[in-house]
Amino acid sequence: MSIEAPIAKAPQRARGVQRVAELLDAGAALFAENGYETTTMTQIAQRAGASIGSLYQFFPSKEALAEALFVRYVERVASMLEDLAKRAPGLPPPRLADRLIDLMLKVRSDRDSAAALSGSVSGIVERRKSLRGATRRQIAAILRAASPRLREKAAAEAAAMIGHVLKLVPTLAKEQEDGGQPLVPQVRKMLAAYIECVVKR
Amino acid sequence: MSIEAPIAKAPQRARGVQRVAELLDAGAALFAENGYETTTMTQIAQRAGASIGSLYQFFPSKEALAEALFVRYVERVASMLEDLAKRAPGLPPPRLADRLIDLMLKVRSDRDSAAALSGSVSGIVERRKSLRGATRRQIAAILRAASPRLREKAAAEAAAMIGHVLKLVPTLAKEQEDGGQPLVPQVRKMLAAYIECVVKR
Amino acid sequence: MSIEAPIAKAPQRARGVQRVAELLDAGAALFAENGYETTTMTQIAQRAGASIGSLYQFFPSKEALAEALFVRYVERVASMLEDLAKRAPGLPPPRLADRLIDLMLKVRSDRDSAAALSGSVSGIVERRKSLRGATRRQIAAILRAASPRLREKAAAEAAAMIGHVLKLVPTLAKEQEDGGQPLVPQVRKMLAAYIECVVKR
Amino acid sequence: MSIEAPIAKAPQRARGVQRVAELLDAGAALFAENGYETTTMTQIAQRAGASIGSLYQFFPSKEALAEALFVRYVERVASMLEDLAKRAPGLPPPRLADRLIDLMLKVRSDRDSAAALSGSVSGIVERRKSLRGATRRQIAAILRAASPRLREKAAAEAAAMIGHVLKLVPTLAKEQEDGGQPLVPQVRKMLAAYIECVVKR
DNA sequence: AATGAATGAGTCTTCATTCAT
DNA sequence: TATGAATGAAGACTCATTCAT
């Protein structure tokens, strides 16, 4: 279930492959820090230790870089959800909630950049719906694996809701680390309560 | 509880008041549609039927306009929370959850523009913490009014969490209207379950 | 018979009108000197004594400026041909050839820039056919006014040929001035001979 | 009468000779299609099925490639004029005109690319005068061979004029093929008339 | 006070050319 | 020798902000 990675020219030499990874990482970091519009291509190239020309050798536009980044994020999440699906059967709601939240904590840094992109890059806005659909289907499948009695429709609705809540996780973790309230435990509690409530009858 | 509104020059005539409102509305609509960076001052002036010079007569910079907009939003929310506080005593969790969500649905359009600004405008990012604190204190007060046995600390934590969830509401409503899942009932359910869970000991 | 002048924003103040003219002249001169691709927008602005931003205030793109220039040229030629049409009746071939060539000598500087644009600007390439058609119809009308017995089809063919020859005139004049052969008298001779040959039966 | 061809390194193997030809052809086609400035070295290499590095192995710069192309064109024309010179004695004006025009029709594709270069490449602009002089001397010689009584000065002037007219031929042919007027017969007529007129007395 | 024009730093992107493997 | 990668100067264009009428 791989998504087209919109790289300009697939690198054909070892050096090129490395460069692409460096550029992607630099982009992710800067987009997360300063947002899509505010981040300049020159900054990205600089942080990756490359020249601007080198950046454009692999990504034909700022938007293409953003899309590649987004695809990378979506694929990572998809693969982690796939793993979770295997362990889902029989998982009680609180455990399930914890697993989902742990997953988001793992992809935190990627999520931060993806969040910065999802509203700003038109190419992403367009694909968004279908990508979101795929993720939700995975979550719904996990829910039904954990609670086989759950109806398909109820699972779909809950999955959508859960998807939205999960997006909050990185923000909450950030706030907590910055000396705010202990919000991660709160989401855990909230998500567990919600799943429990959905599952019961 | 009025916050300094960074307007260039307090409009001295009725016409001026109207102009400011028009400009603010135009800004709100465009920021919500296209984001802060992508929206130009010229666009805002045009949509408000004003000249660019006129816009700068009232708002000395793009950031000032954004801040005024944000302040307007925060004040509206604060006043609505104040109202809710009066009716809070004795409200059972599901009712309380519904009231909070209804409130967010009322300020939806304002919230959309505020969301576009909160990460992009440095002036807002800075004030954010204190503004957020005020809102949370209001929510905490409401929680304790509804459930007097709730400890102060627990109320503070729950209020923070609830604040984050409430921010999702406009997005969920939008998705629902666009033919997606019925997400508003889901948040209602989730928030009710969470509050219930928090309140119980 | 006016053609849409693709100016970005029609200037609304006296200063703006003057600026547009200055920019157009600067563009014409530079395109003629260095060609379309080689001429930079910054150069144009500089030669017009304006800032780059000022240039873009009136012409939204390099191509738009080029098109405006081309339109100006075409309109000037059209109006001169219209004048010539009035004096055409009864004009013997050599006189007619001379009048046409004189006309081209008058628009020389404009023609030089138009020539630089006609192959390079896609917007112009597209309109080219229709504009050319109009010019040819004017020339054909002139031919038939001068020689009433000329058939319509023969006039159309000759007009097309004459149009091409006339385009050479500025180049020939330039070469002659630069110390080359006296080519202008030669085209006069050639064009006269050709018209005579076309007209005879 | 070979002109120095500015090739980087004379290809030493058969494969190299073929490569050079392929690159030259690719360049000719692209320059004719899109013009000198708009055509990129990468495009040329691609169309020739070579790598950019390979292209630079044979031509040290874009300008060098253009010059080589131009030289090839000039040499072909020169050799064809030489052939024509042999058959010129006694040729009546209309025949002569036809021969010259036929010649241009034969080199059409080369001429198209040469035309794209002649104004854009400074190296060519410089040599242009001398090359043009050579061509004109050939044409003048042909004229005098056909009409021995023609004075040297008159021949030189006519040759220059004829050179300019001949450059139009490919354009006219193109227009004719694209469904326009039958212009090639018209130039034939025109050139015949002109030569006749020059020759008489 | 109101408005259109002016400004120019800053952004994305291209492309001829050079390098290193 | 052949090829992909690296480089960076340069160009079109944008837009917040300031001016002048």
Side-chain angles (χ1 to χ4, degrees), chain B residues 15-31 33 39-56 58-59 65 69 72:
Chain B
R15 183 59 202 273
V17 175
Q18 194 191 334
R19 257 289 147 85
V20 167
E22 288 166 357
L23 292 167
L24 241 21
D25 289 339
L30 287 165
F31 287 148
E33 262 173 57
T39 299
T40 75
M41 290 298 266
T42 304
Q43 278 172 36
I44 294 173
Q46 266 182 347
R47 170 153 333 184
S51 69
I52 182 70
S54 194
L55 171 50
Y56 272 88
F58 293 111
F59 300 96
L65 172 61
L69 223 33
R72 189 173 79 166

Side-chain angles (χ1 to χ4, degrees), chain B residues 1 74-75 77-83 85 131-144 159:
Chain B
M1 195 209 287
V74 170
E75 284 182 340
V77 170
S79 105
M80 295 184 82
L81 283 175
E82 217 169 336
D83 287 350
L131 294 176
R132 192 158 57 183
T135 303
R136 285 178 183 178
R137 252 170 276 125
Q138 288 187 285
I139 296 178
I142 289 169
L143 284 175
R144 299 188 74 194

Side-chain angles (χ1 to χ4, degrees), chain A residues 118-133:
Chain A
S118 58
S120 302
V121 184
S122 69
I124 290 177
V125 172
E126 290 160 14
R127 301 201 211 180
R128 193 89 163 290
K129 208 168 181 176
S130 67
L131 294 177
R132 192 157 57 182

Side-chain angles (χ1 to χ4, degrees), chain C residues 136 157 164 175 186 194, chain D residues 136 157 164 175 186 194:
Chain C
R136 287 177 182 179
E157 289 174 8
H164 282 284
E175 189 182 329
Q186 297 298 319
Y194 175 64
Chain D
R136 287 180 183 177
E157 290 174 9
H164 282 286
E175 188 181 330
Q186 298 297 319
Y194 176 64

Side-chain angles (χ1 to χ4, degrees), chain B residues 148-166:
Chain B
R149 291 180 317 180
L150 195 60
R151 298 282 165 74
E152 191 170 325
K153 197 186 166 197
E157 290 174 9
M161 184 71 247
I162 291 171
H164 282 285
V165 173
L166 290 179

Side-chain angles (χ1 to χ4, degrees), chain C:
Chain C
M1 196 207 288
S2 182
I3 302 160
E4 51 159 335
I7 287 178
K9 257 178 186 168
Q12 310 187 355
R13 303 245 255 248
R15 183 68 194 275
V17 176
Q18 192 192 334
R19 262 287 147 85
V20 165
E22 290 164 356
L23 292 166
L24 241 20
D25 289 338
L30 286 165
F31 286 147
E33 264 174 56
N34 307 324
Y36 177 73
E37 303 287 353
T38 309
T39 298
T40 75
M41 289 298 264
T42 303
Q43 278 171 32
I44 295 173
Q46 266 179 348
R47 175 163 316 193
S51 69
I52 186 70
S54 217
L55 171 49
Y56 275 91
Q57 183 116 47
F58 297 109
F59 300 96
S61 69
K62 192 179 180 184
E63 189 160 338
L65 173 60
E67 289 186 39
L69 227 30
F70 199 81
V71 166
R72 190 174 78 165
Y73 164 68
V74 170
E75 285 181 340
R76 286 181 180 177
V77 170
S79 105
M80 296 184 80
L81 284 174
E82 216 168 337
D83 288 350
L84 178 50
K86 292 171 192 161
R87 302 180 204 158
L91 223 51
R95 286 279 156 275
L96 183 51
D98 281 348
R99 290 294 157 275
L100 287 167
I101 286 165
D102 291 343
L103 187 160
M104 287 310 292
L105 290 172
K106 272 187 204 149
V107 296
R108 245 182 86 176
S109 57
D110 286 277
R111 169 65 207 167
D112 287 338
S113 60
L117 303 176
S118 58
S120 302
V121 183
S122 69
I124 291 175
V125 172
E126 290 160 16
R127 302 199 211 181
R128 193 88 162 292
K129 208 168 183 177
S130 68
L131 294 176
R132 192 157 57 181
T135 304
R136 287 177 182 179
R137 251 169 279 126
Q138 287 188 284
I139 297 178
I142 290 170
L143 285 175
R144 300 188 74 194
S147 310
R149 292 181 316 181
L150 194 60
R151 297 282 164 75
E152 191 170 325
K153 197 184 165 196
E157 289 174 8
M161 184 72 248
I162 291 172
H164 282 284
V165 172
L166 290 179
K167 282 182 193 160
L168 290 176
V169 173
T171 311
L172 304 175
K174 177 86 183 336
E175 189 182 329
Q176 178 171 333
E177 285 166 6
D178 289 353
Q181 306 282 359
L183 289 173
V184 175
Q186 297 298 319
V187 232
R188 291 188 188 278
K189 200 184 297 180
M190 175 185 242
L191 197 56
Y194 175 64
I195 295 177
E196 205 123 29
C197 154
V198 166
V199 162
K200 275 183 196 163
R201 184 159 3 179

Side-chain angles (χ1 to χ4, degrees), chain D:
Chain D
M1 193 212 286
S2 181
I3 302 162
E4 58 157 331
I7 287 177
K9 213 179 220 178
Q12 307 190 337
R13 309 191 186 186
R15 182 59 202 273
V17 175
Q18 194 191 334
R19 257 294 149 83
V20 166
E22 287 164 358
L23 291 167
L24 241 23
D25 289 338
L30 287 165
F31 287 149
E33 262 173 56
N34 308 322
Y36 177 73
E37 303 288 352
T38 308
T39 298
T40 74
M41 290 297 265
T42 303
Q43 278 172 36
I44 295 173
Q46 266 183 348
R47 170 152 333 184
S51 70
I52 182 70
S54 195
L55 171 51
Y56 272 88
Q57 208 116 40
F58 293 109
F59 299 96
S61 72
K62 191 179 181 183
E63 193 159 336
L65 172 61
E67 289 186 39
L69 223 34
F70 199 81
V71 166
R72 189 173 79 166
Y73 164 68
V74 170
E75 285 182 341
R76 285 181 181 176
V77 170
S79 105
M80 295 184 81
L81 283 175
E82 218 168 337
D83 287 350
L84 179 51
K86 294 171 191 161
R87 302 180 206 157
L91 222 50
R95 288 278 155 273
L96 182 52
D98 281 346
R99 292 294 155 275
L100 286 167
I101 286 166
D102 291 342
L103 188 160
M104 286 309 291
L105 289 173
K106 273 187 205 149
V107 296
R108 243 182 89 176
S109 57
D110 286 276
R111 169 66 205 167
D112 286 338
S113 59
L117 303 176
S118 58
S120 302
V121 183
S122 69
I124 291 176
V125 172
E126 289 160 16
R127 301 202 213 178
R128 190 89 164 291
K129 208 167 183 176
S130 69
L131 294 176
R132 191 158 57 183
T135 304
R136 287 180 183 177
R137 254 170 274 123
Q138 287 188 283
I139 296 177
I142 289 168
L143 285 175
R144 299 187 75 192
S147 309
R149 293 181 316 180
L150 195 60
R151 299 280 165 74
E152 189 170 325
K153 197 185 164 196
E157 290 174 9
M161 184 72 247
I162 291 172
H164 282 286
V165 172
L166 289 179
K167 282 183 194 160
L168 289 177
V169 173
T171 310
L172 304 175
K174 177 87 185 333
E175 188 181 330
Q176 179 169 332
E177 285 167 7
D178 289 353
Q181 306 282 359
L183 289 173
V184 176
Q186 298 297 319
V187 230
R188 292 189 188 279
K189 200 185 298 181
M190 176 183 243
L191 198 56
Y194 176 64
I195 295 178
E196 205 122 30
C197 154
V198 167
V199 162
K200 277 184 194 162
R201 183 167 5 173

